[in-house]
């Protein structure tokens, strides 16, 4: 098994889990800064040519795992792997954010829905030709785009 260690820290205005956006769509104008470990800053070369990036991070405040949960956008219990809950076996999160700029070991982003101080595991570029999926389905999710934008977290996944 690989030993995964954080490569940096995500800084955001969200100091508590409660009342945060549940997805980047609900954090459209929220700015964040990714502070990469300085010895890794060379790895940011050429990233500034992308409009969006994936942030892969650890849900560091989560203390438990559940195999079924009631998601924020539903009233029915669902299997953990059909949701975006942080109560996953490995407590790994994923967000697509807008890349504003890169300076030294700092990456400035918009649309961040992550708790301040979150350990960053990796950054990957979003590439429309690779990542855009036409005719995709969203399973059980029936919420409108507006519902997703307006929904805020509560304490159910702490």
């Amino acid at each position: 098994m690989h030993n995964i260690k954080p490569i940096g820290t995500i800084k955001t205005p969200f100091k508590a889990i409660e009342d945060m956006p549940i997805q980047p769509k609900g954090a459209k104008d929220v700015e964040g800064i990714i502070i990469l470990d300085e010895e890794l800053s060379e790895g940011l070369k050429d990233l500034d040519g992308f409009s969006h990036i994936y942030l892969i991070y650890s849900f560091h405040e989560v203390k438990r795992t559940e195999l079924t949960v009631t998601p924020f956008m539903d009233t029915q219990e669902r299997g953990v792997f059909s949701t975006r809950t942080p109560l996953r076996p490995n407590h790994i999160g994923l967000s697509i954010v807008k890349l504003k700029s890169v300076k030294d070991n700092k990456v400035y982003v918009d649309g961040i829905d992550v708790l301040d101080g979150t350990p960053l595991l990796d950054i990957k570029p979003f590439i429309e030709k690779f990542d855009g999926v036409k005719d995709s389905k969203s399973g059980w999710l029936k919420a409108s785009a507006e519902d997703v934008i307006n929904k805020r977290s509560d304490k159910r996944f702490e």
Side-chain angles (χ1 to χ4, degrees), residues 75-88:
T75 57
Q76 186 174 325
E77 268 199 342
R78 304 289 181 175
V80 69
F81 300 119
S82 74
T83 74
R84 301 279 185 102
T85 179
L87 303 183
R88 327 184 70 68

Side-chain angles (χ1 to χ4, degrees), residues 14 17-28 57 59 71-74 83-86 94-95 111-114 140-141 143-157:
F14 302 114
I17 293 171
E18 194 170 9
D19 203 36
M20 286 178 47
I22 64 163
Q23 292 296 319
K25 291 276 187 190
K28 182 176 181 263
Y57 49 88
F59 287 119
F72 289 126
M73 302 305 299
D74 201 11
T83 74
R84 301 279 185 102
T85 179
L94 173 72
S95 293
I112 189 127
D113 65 330
V114 177
W140 55 263
L141 184 66
S144 69
E146 186 175 325
D147 290 339
V148 174
I149 288 169
N150 292 321
K151 187 68 174 176
R152 294 295 179 258
S153 65
D154 55 31
K155 294 184 176 195
R156 77 180 78 181
F157 297 136

Side-chain angles (χ1 to χ4, degrees), residues 58-71:
S58 171
F59 287 119
H60 66 296
E61 293 293 325
V62 174
K63 307 296 184 230
R64 69 186 208 279
T65 297
E66 300 289 339
L67 296 179
T68 59
V69 297
T70 302

Side-chain angles (χ1 to χ4, degrees), residues 116-130:
D116 185 57
T118 293
L120 178 69
L121 302 177
D122 204 354
I123 299 171
K124 294 182 184 276
F126 175 88
I127 302 172
E128 178 63 32
K129 289 182 176 115
F130 295 173

Side-chain angles (χ1 to χ4, degrees), residues 5-62:
K5 65 177 192 157
I7 63 170
T9 304
I10 302 171
K11 304 299 289 174
T12 75
F14 302 114
K15 308 300 183 202
I17 293 171
E18 194 170 9
D19 203 36
M20 286 178 47
I22 64 163
Q23 292 296 319
K25 291 276 187 190
K28 182 176 181 263
D29 296 321
V30 178
E31 297 179 350
I33 304 172
I34 286 68
I35 303 173
L36 199 67
D37 293 348
E38 286 192 24
E39 68 271 10
L40 302 175
S41 61
E42 186 179 350
L44 296 173
K45 182 179 184 283
D46 303 316
L47 186 65
D48 59 356
F50 294 88
S51 67
H52 292 78
I53 56 175
Y54 289 100
L55 300 179
I56 302 166
Y57 49 88
S58 171
F59 287 119
H60 66 296
E61 293 293 325
V62 174

